[in-house]
Each structure stands twice: as C-alpha cells, then as structure tokens.
Amino acid sequence: MIHVVDAPCGIGKTSAAIEMMNTEVDARYMFITPFLNEVRRVKESCDRRKFFEPQEINTKLNGIHWLLSNNKDIVSTHALFLNFNQDTVTLIKNGGYTLILDEVASVVEIMDITKKDLACILANYATVKDGLLIWEDMEYEGKFSEIMRMSLNKCVGIYGDTALIWCFPIEIFKAFKDVYILTYMFKAQMQRYYYDFYNVQYDYMYVTHNGDKYGLTDKITEYDFRIAEIDICDSEKLNAIGDNYSDLSVSWFHKNKFEKNRPLINVLKNNMYNYFRNICKTPSEQNMWTTFKLFKPMLQGNGYSRGFVSVNARATNEYKHKTHLAYCANIFLNPVLKQFFNQKGIVVDEDLYALSELVQWMWRSAIRDGRKISIYIPSARMRQILTDWLQSENIM
C-alpha cells in the first residue's frame, strides 16, 4: 500500500520515519532521499538497525542488488532509485521491503524522439492502449530496441501522435510491501498525477508529536504550523518586468535570449542586483536566488551569484541561513505533459503545481526555522498565487 505523509516542512516527517524504522526492527527498509547528507542522517539516527549504502560492484545498481540479495537495510539516493530494473523488482519482492521515499521523484519525462520516428513506430511496430505504447512486433531488432524494452515494461506513455513520455516503472512501487512518501502538497505534484494515470491507490498519513517522540497515524491531524513573516517586494519598478501572465516563463526566456543584447533579461538581472544591493543591503552569504537552470548564466551578478539554489530544490536544509531571496521564474507544467494527463481525464491544476514548487523552494531558506524572510518575485502570476495562499485557510 502507498501511504502519502503530506505535511509542511519542519513538522517531523523524517523524524517520524526514523522512529518507525527504529521501532519495527523485524521489517526491512529502503530509504531513498535526494541528498547525501540525509543518507548520513539516516545511518546515524537509526541506532537499532544498520543501514548500508550501495557500493560499486562494476555499477552502483549491482551494489544495491547485492545488498537486496543479502537482506540488508538500504539507504540511497533518488538518482540510483530511478535506475532500478526488473531484477531489482524481483529482489525487492523476495526481501519483503518497505520503501520510504523522502520527497517525490522525477517519475515522468518527455522522451527525445522525432515525429517521423514516432510515426514509423506507430505504423509498423506498436499500438496505443489507455495512453500507453503497446509493442506488438516481438521479433523487432533495430534502433527502437530501447523503446521496445521500455514499452514492454509499461513505461512508455504517448500523447496523440506527437510525443512519447517515459514513465518510471510502476511495478517498482508495487514490488514493495509498503511505500511511505514524505512530502508536502502532494495533490499538486507530478507523482500524484502519475499514480492516477496508472490507477494506483494511495492514502494519507499524518505526523504525531509527543515531546521528543514522533510517529505516524491514519487519523486526520491538524498541525501547529505557523509561517514566519514573509516580506514580498512590492516595488512597482522592479516588478514591472513580470506584469504579463506568461512573463518569466521558460518560453519568455527562450524568446528574449535571442533578442539583440537581451534587453529584458538584462533588466531582470539589474533588478535582482538592485534588490539585493540597494533594497536589502545584505551580504552575499544571506542571499538566495533561482531561475531555470538553462538561463542561470544570463542572470548571474555581483553580490548574489553564489547563492543560486536550483528552482526544483527539495529536502535540504543546507540553505537555512538564507534570509533574502529572489525567485525569477514563472512555473508552468510542460504543455505536452499536461495534455498527456488530460487525455485520460486527469485534470492538472497548474496554479497549485506552481505554488508547490515555489513553496518547496522558499522552505530551503531561513523560513524553515521560523525566521523572517524577504523575497523578490517579479512574476505577477507567481506573486499573486503565493499571496492568495498565504491569505487562505488551506495552509495546514
């Protein structure tokens, strides 16, 4: 069964998971986290069992297979988890493992294939059923062999005759005795839409807290969750760059990077410099900023460049000393992925998706410790989404 532990940052999700692993000593666990520092935390905190990191036996995947075959408790990263294969599935089932997934994984991606090649596949080798590519030519050998292998594992989704979408093998999640996903705003996340696509059932669990003891319960729990003061920059001059609905989106950056001397991108860069240097007047070590990775070099500047934190950063407290932030991105779900889910009746809430990405990013900063932060959000859309959320009653 899949259990979603959906709770705000700092409530104690990881502490509750560690307490469960220390208590249920007869179970076998695999703990998957995005960051190596969390790997160390799990190894040090689980004093009633011994967790092992996979070592290379030609490959790290072989290393994790050796640990599974020897019934070891395992802690590893998302990067390795996403490389699991059918042999991993068999070993997980045989070992009766429980998975704890710290933050959702990148379970859906658009595949790199031309429309001509896709048309060839559909005309000669495969059909479509329930949004999945179904390979029919079992004698096939050729340049589409990898797509054939993935489709036989029910890993290839398709949107019309336009695009193929790689989906993480759902059988891997089904192989575990239980799955616990530690996250926040799960309803807005890609992994939720992915489960809905495969008709996978999941329930919600909640964190309990008594003194220094944390636990998990299926009883609906209200959290004592208070958001520290957030000072959102309201400068009309600095915010004018993002007045239009799609300003600062990926497509906006792509369009403006080809303009001579990139005037709008340079205005945004200067705005960030002015925000940190003249409005906040903070030393560089307190500044934190982001944009889409491809456009990072275009916005780097004196006084803040070293404070870059990936726009999709999660599950790390490495930046909790950062008090002054700039979020130079306008988040939309890739339209192909949106239509891929829509074609199966799965409605994507783009504003909620954008909010979840922004909130997760902000919670890498000092706000996770209850401290005041200041933030520059030049996109009017993103700024309004955050403001509406802060004023709503939907915050846990």
Side-chain angles (χ1 to χ4, degrees):
M1 183 62 187
I2 294 176
H3 310 285
V4 179
V5 185
D6 190 335
C9 306
I11 290 295
K13 297 186 292 289
T14 304
S15 296
I18 289 171
E19 184 67 24
M20 180 175 69
M21 292 186 292
N22 275 332
T23 302
E24 299 179 5
V25 292
D26 293 331
R28 294 193 185 104
Y29 284 99
M30 181 184 295
F31 193 102
I32 300 294
T33 180
F35 298 103
L36 289 174
N37 60 346
E38 287 298 295
V39 168
R40 292 189 289 271
R41 176 187 174 187
V42 169
K43 291 177 71 173
E44 294 169 359
S45 301
C46 291
D47 51 2
R48 297 185 186 178
R49 60 173 68 242
K50 186 173 183 180
F51 272 90
F52 293 83
E53 292 180 67
Q55 304 300 310
E56 284 199 20
I57 305 176
N58 293 324
T59 67
K60 280 284 186 74
L61 188 59
N62 285 339
I64 210 163
H65 287 170
W66 184 89
L67 292 174
L68 287 166
S69 65
N70 286 274
N71 296 322
K72 303 295 186 182
D73 290 312
I74 300 166
V75 58
S76 189
T77 62
H78 280 204
L80 183 54
F81 178 72
L82 292 172
N83 285 320
F84 285 8
N85 59 24
Q86 192 57 47
D87 291 338
T88 324
V89 169
T90 301
L91 291 167
I92 290 168
K93 287 181 178 177
N94 288 342
Y97 277 83
T98 292
L99 170 67
I100 298 178
L101 183 62
D102 186 13
E103 279 304 340
V104 293
S106 299
V107 292
V108 179
E109 292 180 1
I110 298 173
M111 298 173 66
D112 185 13
I113 186 171
T114 66
K115 289 186 179 181
K116 184 176 179 180
D117 281 346
L118 179 53
C120 177
I121 290 172
L122 293 174
N124 299 287
Y125 310 118
T127 57
V128 178
K129 183 179 180 181
D130 293 332
L132 289 172
L133 188 73
I134 308 299
W135 203 272
E136 293 189 332
D137 185 355
M138 298 302 158
E139 305 300 320
Y140 175 82
E141 293 182 1
K143 69 174 184 178
F144 303 129
S145 293
E146 181 63 12
I147 294 176
M148 173 184 173
R149 182 192 67 78
M150 290 190 291
S151 66
L152 292 174
N153 287 329
K154 299 180 180 179
C155 296
V156 182
I158 184 167
Y159 167 55
D161 58 356
T162 303
L164 293 182
I165 292 91
W166 170 83
C167 300
F168 183 72
I170 196 64
E171 294 304 316
I172 291 175
F173 284 110
K174 292 180 177 179
F176 288 96
K177 182 180 177 182
D178 283 295
V179 175
Y180 294 85
I181 301 169
L182 315 181
T183 190
Y184 184 38
M185 293 187 170
F186 181 73
K187 290 180 180 179
Q189 294 167 355
M190 194 70 65
Q191 195 161 326
R192 174 253 168 139
Y193 300 128
Y194 158 86
Y195 284 150
D196 291 347
F197 177 82
Y198 283 105
N199 296 313
V200 171
Q201 299 298 308
Y202 49 87
D203 61 22
Y204 287 88
M205 299 196 74
Y206 305 87
V207 177
T208 63
H209 183 203
N210 184 12
D212 60 351
K213 295 292 184 181
Y214 291 85
L216 296 176
T217 179
D218 58 1
K219 295 181 180 179
I220 296 176
T221 303
E222 292 186 3
Y223 301 115
D224 183 15
F225 177 60
R226 296 179 177 85
I227 296 178
E229 184 180 350
I230 301 176
D231 181 16
I232 302 174
C233 178
D234 60 0
S235 167
E236 290 186 12
K237 181 179 179 180
L238 295 188
N239 287 334
I241 190 72
D243 277 349
N244 297 316
Y245 182 77
S246 61
D247 286 346
L248 277 72
S249 64
V250 170
S251 60
W252 181 90
F253 276 99
H254 274 299
K255 174 186 175 183
N256 284 288
K257 76 176 182 179
F258 293 115
E259 295 290 331
K260 186 178 180 180
N261 299 323
R262 299 170 181 161
L264 291 180
I265 292 178
N266 285 333
V267 167
L268 180 60
K269 177 180 177 180
N270 290 335
N271 285 355
M272 257 208 299
Y273 175 84
N274 286 333
Y275 176 71
F276 286 125
R277 181 66 179 269
N278 299 318
I279 295 178
C280 298
K281 300 179 181 178
T282 45
S284 60
E285 60 266 21
Q286 291 181 18
N287 297 333
M288 170 174 149
W289 70 285
T290 198
T291 191
F292 305 106
K293 184 178 179 181
L294 182 63
F295 309 109
K296 172 187 172 184
M298 302 178 191
L299 292 181
Q300 291 180 145
N302 292 332
Y304 62 85
S305 285
R306 293 183 181 179
F308 180 82
V309 177
S310 173
V311 73
N312 59 355
R314 294 174 181 269
T316 177
N317 59 12
E318 184 179 352
Y319 309 103
K320 62 182 182 179
H321 59 289
K322 304 287 188 179
T323 55
H324 293 75
L325 289 55
Y327 192 87
C328 297
N330 188 3
I331 304 295
F332 292 93
L333 188 64
N334 185 295
V336 171
L337 292 180
K338 181 179 179 179
Q339 294 304 320
F340 169 65
F341 289 118
N342 284 349
Q343 72 184 357
K344 203 173 178 183
I346 301 168
V347 179
V348 174
D349 187 331
E350 283 204 89
D351 283 354
L352 191 60
Y353 173 74
L355 174 65
S356 71
E357 294 293 296
L358 172 56
V359 169
Q360 283 283 358
W361 185 83
M362 284 197 313
W363 250 260
R364 302 312 106 214
S365 72
I367 197 173
R368 67 184 298 113
D369 286 341
R371 297 163 60 198
K372 175 183 176 180
I373 64 167
S374 298
I375 185 167
Y376 172 45
I377 308 176
S379 163
R381 170 177 172 263
M382 296 298 293
R383 197 166 60 250
Q384 190 63 53
I385 288 171
L386 177 62
T387 301
D388 289 346
W389 180 69
L390 291 172
Q391 294 174 351
S392 75
E393 298 178 356
N394 296 323
I395 303 175
M396 291 183 179

